[in-house]
């Protein structure tokens, strides 16, 4: 119930955040790989570079020269590592679906998640972003903002693991793609605006009154 109250409070405060900002599911996947350890603003520049070369397409990235790809995504940092991760993600997509993302529908959620986690450079957070925001599967995405907000409000311990936090939400929140999409977005927005790593703005935060601050 507490999670639902948190959701309702944040939802009333921020409104529909319309995540994920992308034109296609494949663009979501590209963004999910590129956003690792960097800001969304820098990812936007890389995606724009890829779009200008017509590369937001699984087959085209699959065939792209590694160095050219790394140059285009340089703005999002760790570009050589991320170009390999992008290539690995696209190789997975091509092998499993031939580039047609809707063919992922043949897999159950647990099977697909397990498969994604075998891909080089795809950890739980990236896998769940892809599942939720690109493939419309009902999973909760856990990130540092979630961990910070939940622990500051006594819902989890500070050192709770990814799966523990995800289970808390899966067991106590509707299994709705729309709501899970919005809940993660709301927590990110709350973390960015009010609940910083070293600085909290509880007085102005919509979660003031939920205890723990
Ligand atoms: S800023 Fe304060 S009230 Fe807001 S989420 Fe963080 S701890 Fe809670």
């Amino acid at each position: 119930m507490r999670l639902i109250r948190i959701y309702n409070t944040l939802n009333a405060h921020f409104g529909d955040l319309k995540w994920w900002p992308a034109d296609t599911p494949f663009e979501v996947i590209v963004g999910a790989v590129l956003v690792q350890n960097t800001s969304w603003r820098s990812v936007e520049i890389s995606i724009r570079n890829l779009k200008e070369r017509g590369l937001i397409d699984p087959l085209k990235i699959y065939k792209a020269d590694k160095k050219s790809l790394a140059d285009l995504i340089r703005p999002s940092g760790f570009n050589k590592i991320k170009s390999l991760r992008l290539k690995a993600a696209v190789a997975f997509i091509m092998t499993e679906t031939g580039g047609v993302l809707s063919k992922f529908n043949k897999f159950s959620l647990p099977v697909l998640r397990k498969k994604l986690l075998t891909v080089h450079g795809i950890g739980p957070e990236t896998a769940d972003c892809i599942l939720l925001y690109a493939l419309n599967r009902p999973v909760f995405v856990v990130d540092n903002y979630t961990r910070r907000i939940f622990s500051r409000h006594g819902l989890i311990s500070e050192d709770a693991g990814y799966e523990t936090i995800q289970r808390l939400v899966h067991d106590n929140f509707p299994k709705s793609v729309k709501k899970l999409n919005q809940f993660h977005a709301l927590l990110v927005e709350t973390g960015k605006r009010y609940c910083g790593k070293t600085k909290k703005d509880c007085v102005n935060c919509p979660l003031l009154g939920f205890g723990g601050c």
Side-chain angles (χ1 to χ4, degrees), residues 43-59:
V43 173
E44 283 179 322
I45 303 169
S46 293
I47 287 182
R48 197 166 58 228
N49 290 345
L50 293 170
K51 276 184 176 170
E52 281 170 5
R53 301 292 173 97
L55 283 174
I56 301 290
D57 176 273
L59 184 59

Side-chain angles (χ1 to χ4, degrees), residues 7-209:
Y7 172 86
N8 287 339
T9 301
L10 294 178
N11 198 43
H13 181 82
F14 290 110
D16 185 357
L17 292 170
K18 301 189 190 324
W19 273 38
W20 179 294
D23 292 336
T24 63
F26 180 65
E27 190 181 319
V28 174
I29 296 175
V30 172
V33 172
L34 295 185
V35 80
Q36 296 168 349
N37 304 309
T38 194
S39 68
W40 182 251
R41 203 166 297 165
S42 63
V43 173
E44 283 179 322
I45 303 169
S46 293
I47 287 182
R48 197 166 58 228
N49 290 345
L50 293 170
K51 276 184 176 170
E52 281 170 5
R53 301 292 173 97
L55 283 174
I56 301 290
D57 176 273
L59 184 59
K60 286 186 182 158
I61 289 191
Y62 185 68
K63 288 183 172 172
D65 167 68
K66 275 184 202 159
K67 187 177 177 311
S68 312
L69 185 61
D71 286 344
L72 291 169
I73 63 169
R74 189 180 300 277
S76 29
F78 307 101
N79 63 324
K80 285 185 185 154
I81 293 171
K82 287 183 181 175
S83 67
L84 295 177
R85 290 180 178 178
L86 210 45
K87 282 272 189 190
V90 165
F92 170 73
I93 292 169
M94 295 307 296
T95 304
E96 297 289 350
T97 73
V100 181
L101 295 185
S102 60
K103 290 192 178 171
F104 277 131
N105 292 343
K106 66 188 171 196
F107 298 116
S108 69
L109 173 54
V111 168
L112 186 50
R113 188 172 193 267
K114 211 168 172 184
K115 280 178 176 281
L116 277 168
L117 289 173
T118 65
V119 179
H120 168 71
I122 295 190
E125 186 180 337
T126 306
D128 290 333
C129 280
I130 291 171
L131 288 166
L132 178 62
Y133 292 106
L135 305 176
N136 291 316
R137 299 298 185 104
V139 289
F140 180 67
V141 179
V142 177
D143 68 352
N144 287 335
Y145 293 121
T146 311
R147 185 172 283 106
R148 190 182 306 148
I149 294 166
F150 283 7
S151 68
R152 284 179 176 169
H153 286 275
L155 290 161
I156 55 164
S157 63
E158 260 179 54
D159 58 355
Y162 190 99
E163 308 294 336
T164 303
I165 303 169
Q166 188 179 60
R167 204 174 319 116
L168 173 78
V169 176
H170 286 177
D171 290 347
N172 296 284
F173 191 79
K175 287 180 182 50
S176 147
V177 169
K178 198 170 168 217
K179 287 191 170 172
L180 289 161
N181 171 328
Q182 172 76 346
F183 198 14
H184 175 63
L186 290 167
L187 291 164
V188 170
E189 207 56 33
T190 306
K192 278 186 186 166
R193 292 205 198 182
Y194 304 106
C195 201
K197 196 172 176 181
T198 53
K199 208 171 156 197
K200 296 188 287 181
D201 183 12
C202 298
V203 174
N204 293 305
C205 179
L207 293 187
L208 176 72

